[in-house]
Amino acid sequence: MKKEFAVIGLGRFGGSICQSLSEEGLEVMAIDVDEDKVNEFANIASHAVVGDTTDETVLKSIGIRNFDHVIVAIGDNIQASILTTIILKELGVKDITVKATNDYHEKVLSKIGADRIVHPERDMGRRIAHKIVSNNVLDYLELSDEHSIVEIVANHRLHGHSIIDLDIRAKYGINIVAIKRNKDIIVSPQAIEIIQKNDILIVIGADADISRFEKRLLGD
């Protein structure tokens, strides 16, 4: 079963996350109080809804507790962001990521139980979306619109295989530029290097190719 996501607040940050999750082929509900913004995402997200998420009845009516992950990306209205987060927690939403606009906002969100708190000025929407989607991705650095460097945790599917056995470059068009193993870093690992479970692979390549690698080798 694919995870289902809801993005509340469709400004530049929330819109970026919504688009990135949708491009991954995931189920995404886009929610905003502004009808024009919702209309913009009607053909991008799986569902697009106009609603005031500070109203508990609205959140209940759209079945928000059934979503695996809710991203609260409300812009300048800190009160709405905090109230929405409180209601989501009370309704039992499993995983909540919230955009913080300043340090005070972050402290409040932390106290009310937000699972992840992000600062859009420090974290790009695409990067955060990528980390939300994959349990194996530790970090994500965008090099251009189409290329990135990603830290991926090797799981049991990669354990015991050499880089040449996996034929990663030929099959996926990506390169492992380094391997972090405990406190050691193996830079430019040789093709015969055996990958161990929980190694951190630092991979560079096109976003589409990295995504294919994750899905085929690292999927549950």
Side-chain angles (χ1 to χ4, degrees):
M1 290 286 289
K2 286 184 180 178
K3 284 188 176 180
E4 294 187 332
F5 299 85
V7 178
I8 299 172
L10 301 174
R12 188 167 65 177
F13 174 71
S16 170
I17 288 188
C18 186
Q19 183 144 7
S20 296
L21 293 173
S22 297
E23 285 171 0
E24 290 284 337
L26 297 163
E27 289 284 320
V28 186
M29 177 179 280
I31 308 164
D32 201 288
V33 290
D34 185 330
E35 187 174 353
D36 290 337
K37 286 182 180 176
V38 171
N39 288 338
E40 279 181 44
F41 286 87
N43 295 322
I44 296 170
S46 314
H47 310 281
V49 176
V50 180
D52 177 5
T53 56
T54 64
D55 184 341
E56 185 175 342
T57 58
V58 170
L59 288 173
K60 283 182 174 176
S61 71
I62 60 178
I64 201 73
R65 72 178 73 193
N66 297 321
F67 287 85
D68 299 290
H69 199 132
V70 178
I71 300 97
V72 181
I74 294 170
D76 297 331
N77 192 335
I78 291 177
Q79 182 175 323
S81 167
I82 292 168
L83 284 173
T84 297
T85 305
I86 289 170
I87 295 168
L88 292 172
K89 289 296 291 184
E90 288 177 346
L91 291 176
V93 173
K94 302 166 198 169
D95 209 350
I96 305 168
T97 294
V98 191
K99 166 190 169 181
T101 52
N102 54 43
D103 291 339
Y104 168 74
H105 189 193
E106 179 176 5
K107 284 179 184 176
V108 175
L109 292 171
S110 181
K111 286 186 177 180
I112 62 178
D115 298 292
R116 287 187 191 88
I117 301 164
V118 295
H119 290 260
E121 66 274 15
R122 300 180 208 161
D123 300 291
M124 294 171 290
R126 286 182 65 183
R127 179 181 180 182
I128 292 162
H130 207 93
K131 289 173 78 171
I132 286 169
V133 169
S134 176
N135 294 328
N136 298 95
V137 172
L138 294 183
D139 207 355
Y140 177 89
L141 176 63
E142 200 171 61
L143 298 176
S144 70
D145 286 345
E146 296 180 354
H147 292 80
S148 303
I149 295 176
V150 182
E151 288 188 356
I152 298 174
V153 182
N155 66 2
H156 64 282
R157 295 191 181 192
L158 302 185
H159 178 72
H161 295 283
S162 69
I163 294 173
I164 196 167
D165 286 341
L166 295 168
D167 206 13
I168 289 169
R169 186 185 296 176
K171 287 182 179 176
Y172 301 98
I174 61 177
N175 288 287
I176 297 173
V177 295
I179 298 173
K180 292 183 186 176
R181 181 175 295 151
N182 301 319
K183 293 182 179 179
D184 298 324
I185 297 181
I186 304 164
V187 179
S188 298
Q190 295 184 12
I192 58 171
E193 183 69 43
I194 303 295
I195 295 171
Q196 298 176 16
K197 188 178 179 183
N198 296 325
D199 279 353
I200 298 170
L201 311 180
I202 300 171
V203 174
I204 188 169
D207 292 340
D209 293 332
I210 293 171
S211 183
R212 281 194 307 118
F213 173 64
E214 285 177 62
K215 286 174 182 172
R216 292 189 189 176
L217 287 183
L218 302 177
D220 294 331

